[in-house]
């Protein structure tokens, strides 16, 4: 027969962790139709993959492109990495649900995910949000999560207290509505407001709803030490829900034994990591974590008013411990503040002859709190390697879809947005041999697919959806750095999403072949 696409002469790594084999991969009607030993198959499009590896498209479990996809649906910084599916709504922060009562507060809370661009949040439910994505098209597939922080704001705003019974029921109803709309997971960010205001019992009750829909509990734990992971595992056992721990390279040195013990006791548990020694987030992250988020009680407006008070600043100078040399301003909303992008708070303080706390607070005020930071060189590489090698690890970039030109070439963001997957395959597979290429591919494909319950993606087998990457194992690598992050990775030659070529000889085709994947449309449990 004549196929839509035929990929010939490549080394097939099917995503299961098994060694490569030779086959001719044939695609028809968006699915893998055959894996043939003969190279005589004919297709409307023929790709010669000699010297290349043919693998399932990479799945980024941990992503934050909820809003940047509305600015650039091609997701070019991930397209050049070979990523075909993004998990969004992580760290307790999702784009829905939004209540009328707290829409203004939520818009300011979530605005930093737009990377200083103005994106009106013209939706309320996940169903509404999905319509916005579908109307403008998607270059990659989306796996949505519902954020606990977003749900709490919709019901309680930024109140630093336990929910009343009626509020708890309202939050459970919103979580249930989100799962009925198709989300895969309930996520928390327990170092961030208003998530930080919740106790363990509150999270357990909401996770029981997720469990009813065969969902996963995905968590940025409360702190990066053992206690936060212990809480996550306790929640998993109590709610009878699988647990996934975000960016665990920071907690793993303290928590690996208890994660392994929980797995041995039957809890489905996994974690993600990215191949860098520093992190990124909202510029105010240090203050969200400070003494359980009391500065944010009442919402963003109250927070900014508190930063103006000399008494508050003096308290921060006495109690807040931050290595200001490592904390760099990444993306600013204010044009006047953009000259500081890429510069550390310590260097700005020395230039302006101010205390770092005053610089920090002044920058937050100048940007109405809407700015990003990169915290550089916070982790020894040996911890990154230990995380990559752990059998319960899968790959998550914790990044945003950006581009090297246009509206999303902005600021000095974290290089993980451009380099996560090729960096693992180049630096840690080819150069350091920390992982075999088959092991690394499994952590990027079949393992996250199994965790999420994606029944027809993540493995190259007949009948599976044709999400495929073709790359050169000798050339694949990252180029983005902390100082110059807006550089695409190289070595990925072809990317296919749902049976359509979206990257052809390393050039984007402009085809928007992605779709929104929905948990309630998956036929079996994770």
């Amino acid at each position: 027969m004549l196929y839509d696409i035929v990929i010939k002469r490549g080394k097939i790594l099917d995503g299961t962790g098994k060694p490569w084999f030779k086959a001719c991969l044939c695609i028809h009607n968006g699915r893998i139709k055959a894996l043939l030993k003969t190279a005589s198959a004919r297709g409307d499009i023929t790709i010669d993959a000699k010297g290349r590896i043919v693998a399932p498209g990479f799945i980024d479990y941990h992503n934050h492109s909820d809003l940047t996809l509305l600015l650039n649906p091609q997701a070019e910084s991930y397209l050049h990495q070979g990523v075909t599916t993004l998990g969004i709504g992580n760290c307790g922060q999702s784009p829905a649900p939004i209540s009328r009562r707290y829409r203004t507060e939520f818009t300011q809370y979530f605005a930093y995910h737009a990377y200083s661009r103005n994106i009106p949040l013209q939706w309320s439910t996940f169903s509404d949000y999905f319509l916005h994505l579908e109307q403008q098209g998607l270059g990659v597939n989306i796996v949505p999560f519902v954020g606990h922080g977003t749900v709490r704001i919709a019901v309680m705003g930024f109140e630093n207290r336990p929910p009343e019974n009626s509020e708890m029921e309202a939050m459970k109803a919103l979580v249930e509505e989100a799962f009925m709309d198709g989300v895969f997971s309930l996520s928390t960010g327990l170092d961030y407001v208003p998530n930080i205001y919740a106790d363990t019992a509150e999270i357990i009750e909401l996770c029981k709803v997720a469990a009813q829909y065969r969902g996963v509990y995905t968590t940025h734990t409360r702190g990066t030490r053992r206690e936060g992971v212990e809480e996550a595992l306790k929640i998993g056992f109590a709610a009878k829900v699988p647990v996934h721990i975000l960016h665990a390279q920071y907690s793993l040195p303290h928590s690996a034994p208890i994660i392994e013990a929980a797995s041995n006791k039957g809890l489905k548990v996994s974690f993600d990591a990215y191949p860098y020694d520093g992190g990124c987030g909202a510029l105010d992250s240090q203050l969200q974590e400070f003494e359980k988020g009391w500065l944010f009680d009442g919402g963003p407006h109250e927070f900014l008013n508190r930063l103006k008070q000399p008494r508050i600043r003096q308290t921060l100078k006495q109690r807040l411990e931050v290595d200001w040399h490592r904390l760099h301003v990444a993306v600013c909303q204010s044009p006047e503040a953009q000259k500081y992008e890429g510069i550390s708070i310590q260097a700005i303080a020395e230039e302006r002859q101010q205390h770092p706390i005053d610089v920090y607070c002044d920058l937050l005020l100048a940007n109405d709190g809407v700015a990003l930071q990169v915290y550089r060189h916070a982790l020894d590489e040996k911890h990154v390697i230990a995380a990559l090698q752990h059998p319960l690890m899968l790959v998550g970039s914790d990044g945003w879809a950006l581009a090297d030109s246009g509206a999303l070439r902005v600021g000095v963001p974290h290089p993980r947005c451009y380099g996560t997957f090729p960096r693992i395959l180049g630096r840690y597979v080819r150069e350091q041999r920390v992982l075999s290429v088959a092991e690394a591919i499994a952590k990027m494909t079949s393992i996250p697919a199994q965790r999420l319950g994606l029944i027809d993606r993540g493995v190259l087998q007949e009948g599976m959806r044709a999400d495929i990457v073709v790359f050169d194992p000798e050339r694949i690598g990252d180029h983005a750095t902390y100082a110059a992050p807006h550089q695409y990775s190289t070595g990925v030659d072809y990317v296919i999403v749902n049976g359509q070529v979206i990257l052809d000889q390393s050039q984007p085709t402009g085809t928007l072949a992605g779709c929104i994947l929905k948990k309630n449309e998956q036929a079996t449990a994770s």
Side-chain angles (χ1 to χ4, degrees):
M1 66 176 290
L2 181 67
Y3 299 99
D4 297 332
I5 302 173
V6 170
I7 305 174
K8 297 182 176 181
R9 302 205 296 173
K11 295 178 177 179
I12 306 290
L13 274 173
D14 65 7
T16 65
K18 297 177 182 177
W20 64 266
F21 59 91
K22 285 279 190 177
C24 180
L25 190 150
C26 306
I27 299 168
H28 191 65
N29 288 338
R31 293 186 181 269
I32 299 171
K33 187 69 175 180
L35 288 162
L36 305 175
K37 292 184 178 180
T38 177
S40 61
R42 295 182 301 116
D44 289 333
I45 297 172
T46 299
I47 295 172
D48 185 350
K50 183 180 179 181
R52 306 295 192 265
I53 287 175
V54 181
F58 303 149
I59 299 170
D60 186 0
Y61 189 110
H62 185 181
N63 198 271
H64 290 286
S65 300
D66 313 60
L67 295 184
T68 60
L69 285 169
L70 292 167
L71 288 169
N72 187 338
Q74 289 190 77
E76 287 163 314
S77 66
Y78 284 94
L79 174 58
H80 287 278
Q81 296 184 56
V83 174
T84 58
T85 301
L86 302 176
I88 61 172
N90 278 287
C91 296
Q93 302 172 349
S94 63
I98 306 174
S99 67
R100 179 180 299 178
R101 180 178 180 183
Y102 293 110
R103 179 174 290 275
T104 299
E105 291 87 341
F106 176 78
T107 297
Q108 186 165 6
Y109 163 83
F110 203 66
Y112 80 95
H113 286 292
Y115 261 67
S116 81
R117 303 305 182 189
N118 180 31
I119 300 179
L121 308 187
Q122 298 175 330
W123 56 81
S124 298
T125 66
F126 270 98
S127 181
D128 297 337
Y129 170 69
F130 294 160
L131 283 175
H132 275 75
L133 289 178
E134 290 167 344
Q135 286 169 358
Q136 54 110 59
L138 287 167
V140 295
N141 304 313
I142 296 302
V143 173
F145 304 162
V146 59
H148 163 252
T150 299
V151 169
R152 209 176 202 272
I153 292 170
V155 174
M156 300 176 59
F158 286 82
E159 295 294 323
N160 184 0
R161 59 175 176 80
E164 297 176 359
N165 289 340
S166 60
E167 292 168 330
M168 190 72 237
E169 291 304 310
M171 286 194 285
K172 290 165 70 174
L174 288 176
V175 172
E176 182 170 28
E177 180 183 47
F179 274 94
M180 292 177 68
D181 282 344
V183 305
F184 285 71
S185 178
L186 171 69
S187 78
T188 58
L190 295 175
D191 278 337
Y192 305 137
V193 295
N195 302 253
I196 201 169
Y197 302 147
D199 61 15
T200 305
E202 178 179 322
I203 308 301
I204 289 172
E205 285 302 301
L206 296 176
C207 278
K208 288 179 180 178
V209 179
Q212 292 173 8
Y213 290 86
R214 299 178 285 106
V216 179
Y217 173 49
T218 298
T219 180
H220 169 132
T221 60
R222 207 183 301 268
T224 58
R225 301 191 70 84
R226 183 183 178 106
E227 294 79 8
V229 175
E230 285 178 335
E231 180 186 32
L233 300 174
K234 177 182 178 180
I235 291 166
F237 279 118
K240 298 180 181 179
V241 65
V243 174
H244 181 81
I245 298 167
L246 298 169
H247 41 53
Q249 66 265 38
Y250 296 101
S251 63
L252 198 63
H254 316 287
S255 61
I258 60 171
I259 293 174
E260 293 157 7
S263 179
N264 291 336
K265 290 179 181 177
L267 182 67
K268 290 183 179 179
V269 58
S270 58
F271 64 84
D272 63 60
Y274 50 79
Y276 296 92
D277 60 5
C280 176
L283 184 60
D284 60 18
S285 294
Q286 278 69 24
L287 298 183
Q288 293 194 44
E289 298 174 32
F290 178 64
E291 296 185 358
K292 299 183 179 180
W294 67 271
L295 284 168
F296 289 80
D297 187 7
H301 181 73
E302 291 300 319
F303 164 67
L304 294 174
N305 281 338
R306 290 183 181 114
L307 294 189
K308 299 174 185 177
Q309 300 176 24
R311 177 179 58 84
I312 297 290
R313 294 196 183 196
Q314 187 59 36
T315 298
L316 292 173
K317 290 172 185 177
Q318 293 171 350
R319 300 182 191 172
L320 182 63
E321 296 181 6
V322 177
D323 186 341
W324 299 107
H325 291 91
R326 298 186 190 276
L327 198 161
H328 289 67
V329 180
V331 180
C332 290
Q333 177 177 264
S334 162
E336 293 76 18
Q338 288 170 3
K339 63 183 178 182
Y340 295 120
E341 292 172 340
I343 303 175
S344 73
I345 294 293
Q346 183 63 41
I348 300 169
E350 291 171 1
E351 175 190 323
R352 291 168 48 165
Q353 297 184 328
Q354 287 182 287
H355 192 284
I357 287 293
D358 291 315
V359 169
Y360 188 46
C361 293
D362 288 347
L363 280 172
L364 286 168
L365 289 168
N367 288 281
D368 290 327
V370 183
L372 284 95
Q373 62 162 329
V374 170
Y375 206 80
R376 300 183 184 180
H377 309 305
L379 195 66
D380 193 293
E381 188 178 30
K382 68 182 181 182
H383 297 310
V384 174
I385 291 172
L388 295 178
Q389 291 179 320
H390 199 283
L392 296 175
M393 176 268 181
L394 56 87
V395 181
S397 75
D398 195 6
W400 290 258
L402 303 175
D404 75 350
S405 62
L408 289 177
R409 183 186 172 95
V410 58
V412 188
H414 198 292
R416 67 195 184 194
C417 302
Y418 285 87
T420 293
F421 291 79
R423 182 173 177 82
I424 291 174
L425 292 168
R427 180 177 178 84
Y428 293 105
V429 171
R430 184 179 64 242
E431 296 174 8
Q432 297 193 18
R433 299 185 179 180
V434 167
L435 296 168
S436 73
V437 65
E439 289 172 327
I441 294 298
K443 290 174 179 291
M444 299 173 179
T445 58
S446 66
I447 295 175
Q450 290 167 4
R451 168 56 58 210
L452 291 164
L454 299 175
I455 62 170
D456 56 0
R457 299 174 200 268
V459 178
L460 299 184
Q461 292 177 352
E462 291 182 11
M464 302 292 275
R465 292 285 183 183
D467 292 347
I468 297 169
V469 58
V470 179
F471 68 91
D472 185 342
E474 298 303 317
R475 291 191 300 115
I476 194 166
D478 65 306
H479 302 284
T481 66
Y482 286 117
H486 290 291
Q487 301 184 72
Y488 291 135
S489 293
T490 53
V492 174
D493 296 320
Y494 295 90
V495 176
I496 296 169
V497 172
N498 294 314
Q500 298 187 58
V501 178
I502 65 170
L503 190 74
D504 186 344
Q505 299 183 73
S506 301
Q507 297 300 313
T509 65
T511 300
L512 298 178
C515 63
I516 299 166
L517 307 181
K518 297 179 181 179
K519 179 67 175 179
N520 52 10
E521 295 176 358
Q522 303 295 312
T524 63
S526 59

